Amino acid sequence: MLLKSYPGGIRLRCSSWSQTFSCTTTRHSQRHLHSSSRIRNPPLAFAFDIDGVLIRGGEALPAAKEALSILEGNNTLGLKIPYILLTNGGGMSEVERCRKLSKQLGVRIDPAQYIQAHTVLKSVAHKYANAPVLVLGGKGNTLRAVAESYGFNQVYTSLDILSWNQSVWPLYNLTQGEHSSVKNADFSQLSFAAIFVFHDPRNWGLDIQVMCDLIQSGGVVGGPYLADSTRNPVDLVFCNPDLIWRSDFERPRLGQGAFKDAFQAVFKSLTGSNYPHILYGKPTDATYSFAEMVLRDRLRGQLPSVYMVGDNPESDIAGANKAGWQSVLVHTGVYDPHRGPPTHRPTHEARDVLQAVRWALAQELDRRETRKDIVA
């Protein structure tokens, strides 16, 4: 057998990248070996969701620190297993988010191994580089700076528009802090090319109103509504389709997917039809393809078996299955096994991320040992 139990944890007799070796993962490892050498041809790689898998409500789940410690080299051989973090969250820069995650998880998370919902927009920024775009979500003008770092040069927010003309949405007054964050412009003279919902909006009423104004007028705030807004379309992009997500509250919270549905319902009531949009984030093909590109660049070689560990069947599991990855559904987030089977069947279910990592390591290394025996 390749997998054996012993008092301290689990011992794996496994086929290495270049030789046969024994590796140990324990719950309280007494040996901490580290290697700075690069692993060639790793047998597997991991992609982890964050909220509900590694973190809940700003605090790291206990199993997360141990799981990542194992992958970072805290095993008897000090070998590192590559992994990325793939989340539908966002709202800040990748650098800032990784700084916080590193402190929370107790391991260094590099921005090169972190993909949040709007990271994929780096690949399309050139198309809108010099065109006015509306960015929604986040606090103040935080996401303006993020969008500019991606290559968007004319970035505005709904707060900018409200500051220009309070009557755009008279039901809300900007705070002093919001006033200090706005970018002044005469929006009657600007024509927006696109609307990007980077992160969950904080003022649904204001944002839906501005979106409807821009789309129906062909991009000009306060401009006359067109008979058919699709003839001079404003591109609409949502970065996160999740209807719900898991925080430290006892029940899941509404996410950007709910905002998308709310906007489309209002727009359909106004016009009689939904407005066409582009969708990124898990489980879209574009986001998983982007993640594979990041992994290949990180590994500088052929992509091994990828194990997606997530808590949401609709995003993590559905997307991984479609991408041809192995999928592991954990019970520490959105999915509740007591409410029935998941809508998308994972390769495996695990209690938490530590159990998921141990299962995936044993699964992949056992597969390689079997292949080795067959060849021999």
Side-chain angles (χ1 to χ4, degrees):
M1 289 291 292
L2 186 117
L3 179 62
K4 296 182 178 180
S5 298
Y6 80 110
I10 299 173
R11 182 174 296 279
L12 303 174
R13 182 67 183 176
C14 45
S15 174
S16 75
W17 297 266
S18 59
Q19 62 182 351
T20 299
F21 64 87
S22 294
C23 60
T24 303
T25 58
T26 67
R27 184 164 183 78
H28 299 287
S29 177
Q30 296 179 348
R31 191 175 182 186
H32 302 274
L33 300 180
H34 299 277
S35 172
S36 60
S37 61
R38 189 181 189 85
I39 299 175
R40 295 183 178 181
N41 303 320
L44 76 168
F46 286 92
F48 296 103
D49 181 39
I50 298 178
D51 293 312
V53 176
L54 302 177
I55 287 174
R56 181 185 290 173
E59 296 294 329
L61 293 169
K65 291 187 176 182
E66 188 169 355
L68 294 185
S69 179
I70 290 170
L71 300 186
E72 286 287 345
N74 187 14
N75 51 68
T76 56
L77 291 183
L79 293 176
K80 293 189 177 184
I81 305 295
Y83 65 91
I84 61 172
L85 306 187
L86 181 59
T87 176
N88 276 351
M92 63 182 67
S93 73
E94 285 78 7
V95 171
E96 178 62 23
R97 181 63 163 145
C98 286
R99 185 180 299 116
K100 291 185 176 182
L101 284 170
S102 298
K103 184 177 180 180
Q104 291 167 321
L105 295 171
V107 298
R108 183 177 181 273
I109 304 297
D110 190 278
Q113 68 187 122
Y114 176 72
I115 303 171
Q116 55 188 340
H118 44 76
T119 304
V120 68
L121 295 180
K122 293 178 180 180
S123 64
V124 301
H126 65 280
K127 180 180 177 182
Y128 306 93
N130 297 310
V133 298
L134 180 71
V135 167
L136 301 179
K139 295 181 179 179
N141 64 353
T142 298
L143 286 175
R144 189 200 319 276
V146 174
E148 289 172 348
S149 74
Y150 290 174
F152 298 92
N153 296 317
Q154 294 193 58
V155 182
Y156 298 95
T157 72
S158 56
L159 297 182
D160 300 337
I161 294 172
L162 185 59
S163 176
W164 167 72
N165 189 336
Q166 175 66 37
S167 61
V168 166
W169 186 247
L171 302 179
Y172 181 76
N173 295 315
L174 296 179
T175 66
Q176 183 176 353
E178 288 171 336
H179 269 297
S180 66
S181 72
V182 301
K183 181 178 180 180
N184 296 319
D186 182 358
F187 290 101
S188 66
Q189 302 301 311
L190 289 182
S191 180
F192 283 82
I195 300 169
F196 293 94
V197 186
F198 268 51
H199 193 239
D200 299 4
R202 294 170 181 269
N203 190 328
W204 286 28
L206 168 63
D207 288 354
I208 289 176
Q209 179 67 77
V210 171
M211 292 168 73
C212 290
D213 284 341
L214 288 181
I215 290 171
Q216 291 183 94
S217 66
V220 180
V221 182
Y225 286 174
L226 306 176
D228 183 3
S229 59
T230 61
R231 290 186 178 181
N232 186 23
V234 175
D235 292 344
L236 175 59
V237 179
F238 293 94
C239 292
N240 176 4
D242 284 351
L243 180 68
I244 56 176
W245 62 287
R246 190 63 186 261
S247 70
D248 53 347
F249 193 70
E250 61 185 16
R251 293 289 182 268
R253 303 291 84 194
L254 295 176
Q256 190 181 137
F259 174 78
K260 173 179 68 66
D261 290 349
F263 161 75
Q264 290 290 14
V266 170
F267 190 82
K268 187 172 183 178
S269 293
L270 291 172
T271 67
S273 62
N274 288 331
Y275 191 74
H277 63 270
I278 301 167
L279 195 61
Y280 292 119
K282 297 175 296 183
T284 65
D285 293 344
T287 289
Y288 278 86
S289 295
F290 186 81
E292 287 191 353
M293 180 184 70
V294 170
L295 273 171
R296 284 194 176 94
D297 181 67
R298 186 165 183 80
L299 298 174
R300 299 179 186 175
Q302 185 176 0
L303 194 67
S305 296
V306 181
Y307 285 76
M308 176 75 216
V309 182
D311 69 311
N312 192 332
E314 299 291 342
S315 58
D316 303 316
I317 305 307
N321 290 348
K322 193 173 182 181
W325 297 4
Q326 305 295 312
S327 56
V328 186
L329 179 63
V330 296
H331 299 170
T332 52
V334 168
Y335 174 64
D336 181 355
H338 297 102
R339 298 176 69 88
T343 51
H344 296 272
R345 186 180 298 276
T347 308
H348 183 70
E349 288 189 34
R351 179 182 63 253
D352 55 36
V353 66
L354 177 60
Q355 189 180 83
V357 164
R358 285 175 167 166
W359 174 83
L361 288 171
Q363 182 79 2
E364 193 61 35
L365 296 174
D366 183 42
R367 182 181 294 116
R368 292 194 169 219
E369 186 72 18
T370 301
R371 289 174 185 169
K372 178 182 174 183
D373 291 341
I374 291 174
V375 172

